[in-house]
Amino acid sequence: MTDTEAAITDLRERVAALEAALLAHPTPDIDPPSDGDADAFWALTGLEARLGDTGGVLYTGSVATVGGPVRWQYGATATDLFTDDWSAGTVATSLSALGHPVRLRLLQVLADRPASVAELRDLPDVGSTGQVYHHLGLLQTAGWVRQTTRGHYAVPPERLVPLLATVLAGGRTP
């Protein structure tokens, strides 16, 4: 058997295994959304195909930014999420930092583009320069922002999609 024949045989076996796995975990019949998009649950279907009955959560995104495109995907099994201590460490700190309207307003600006403290202070209802620094300090400790140069801040690219996913989960309902 040649290398090409072996590669084709290997691919056939892998495709057969994938098809068998999909058949073992069929997707329930779901009425398509009213707009007629029959593939509306493509991400969910893919997640279920990968995880089977264990379940899990996935967030992913692709965002055009001033600094270039940001692409991100992260997921965890339901078992891992339920066994983690949500009240300790980074989860509590991260979510707590998002729990103030001024910090959310600062993040909304910084998610779009880097900005200086002076620019942020000029936003409506954010308070004094000292208050802006206080809020930025909490956001920086939680990892939501990073100081890029002296007095200038931005949302790090690796935190942009998680931030947008959190905002989506907190502010919208299906």
Side-chain angles (χ1 to χ4, degrees), residues 52-116:
D53 294 334
T54 61
V57 175
L58 172 71
Y59 63 88
T60 183
S62 178
V63 181
T65 70
V66 173
V70 174
R71 299 175 67 220
W72 191 259
Q73 175 178 304
Y74 186 76
T77 66
T79 302
D80 288 343
L81 290 169
F82 284 127
T83 58
D84 285 349
D85 183 0
W86 297 358
S87 63
T90 59
V91 175
T93 301
S94 182
L95 294 177
S96 176
L98 298 177
H100 194 283
V102 170
R103 290 194 286 275
L104 289 173
R105 179 66 183 119
L106 297 175
L107 281 169
Q108 187 173 16
V109 170
L110 295 173
D112 184 49
R113 62 178 172 75
S116 69

